[in-house]
Amino acid sequence: MKECILLIVKPDGMVKGLAGHVLRRFEETDLRLVGARLAKVTRELASTHYHHLREKPFFEELIRFIMGELNGGQDTVLAFAYTGEDAVRKARAIAGATNPEEADYRSIRGSFGRVTTKGVFENVVHVSSDSIEGEREIKLWFRPEEITADLFPSVAADGRREWAEPAGPKTRTGPWPSETP
Ligand code: IDP
Ligand code: MG
């Protein structure tokens, strides 16, 4: 099945100079690159991206980590959108398991990740967990005109294009933050 995923080179990957390596690994697949953006990670973007983990004890550290506060203030990350057959499985195989200490040593996380003494997973990359999350995340991180393929419908609104469906409500992972009671 054709799927879409968001790939992010997280702040630890950026400070370690791994962006080129990550891109190279994805270039070796048959996945098609349809979006690329250097993004500043605000608290709002971070907490919306990870809203499904908001109840976890590590949530605040995760937000600080993706904002770069635990990697010397590295507040920009590289975000890429890919599409292709079986994209989630292929991309997650390259990334490796969530816990870098448990990841296959040939994967990006297994090769370059670590768990800090404070328990933060420095796992170099984000890859969407499934195709529903892939769609939500691409719509969150990219504007329609930044995506070079016809992935999802968009509409003209106030002189600019917006995604026809908003980026995320009613996903598998639960209600949007503003909908919570
Ligand atoms: P994924 O990134 O492999 O999809 P998720 O469960 O979606 O894994 O978690 C998102 C991110 O939250 C992980 O990449 C990692 O940075 C962090 N994380 C997940 N589980 C833990 C944990 O048990 N301790 C610390 N950080 C975690
Ligand atoms: Mg995930």
Side-chain angles (χ1 to χ4, degrees):
M1 195 178 60
K2 203 160 191 180
E3 297 174 325
C4 301
I5 60 108
L6 180 77
L7 165 71
I8 302 171
V9 182
K10 292 183 177 183
D12 59 318
M14 296 294 283
V15 294
K16 288 177 179 169
L18 293 171
H21 176 84
V22 170
L23 196 53
R24 185 89 200 97
R25 294 285 290 265
F26 277 77
E27 283 172 336
E28 286 165 1
T29 69
D30 61 356
L31 300 180
R32 179 177 164 206
L33 180 62
V34 293
R37 182 182 158 215
L38 183 68
K40 201 169 174 76
V41 185
T42 60
R43 178 165 283 271
E44 187 191 0
L45 176 60
S47 46
T48 307
H49 176 78
Y50 282 129
H51 79 108
H52 57 293
L53 297 172
R54 62 195 177 279
E55 310 291 350
K56 299 281 188 199
F58 57 81
F59 184 69
E60 179 57 24
E61 289 222 300
L62 174 62
I63 296 304
R64 294 190 63 220
F65 165 60
I66 195 74
M67 290 174 72
E69 290 182 6
L70 309 182
N71 292 100
Q74 170 64 52
D75 66 347
T76 54
V77 298
L78 276 165
F80 300 100
Y82 285 91
T83 185
E85 283 298 315
D86 218 4
V88 171
R89 186 188 58 76
K90 288 173 183 167
R92 290 190 70 89
I94 296 169
T98 304
N99 182 337
E101 306 298 342
E102 292 171 2
D104 185 312
Y105 62 83
R106 291 159 297 190
S107 67
I108 291 169
R109 288 167 165 178
S111 299
F112 303 108
R114 64 167 186 159
V115 178
T116 70
T117 50
K118 291 190 173 145
V120 174
F121 287 13
E122 290 193 342
N123 59 7
V124 189
V125 286
H126 166 83
V127 172
S128 307
S129 303
D130 56 54
S131 57
I132 295 171
E133 277 293 272
E135 177 174 347
R136 179 185 77 87
E137 293 168 1
I138 289 171
K139 288 176 173 178
L140 175 65
W141 287 74
F142 288 93
R143 301 187 48 74
E145 59 271 24
E146 293 174 317
I147 297 294
T148 59
D150 211 8
L151 293 189
F152 317 116
S154 65
V155 291
D158 298 330
R160 54 198 260 179
R161 293 208 76 76
E162 303 286 355
W163 296 114
E165 297 284 328
K170 308 288 189 293
T171 63
R172 181 189 57 76
T173 47
W176 207 231
S178 59
E179 296 172 13
T180 47

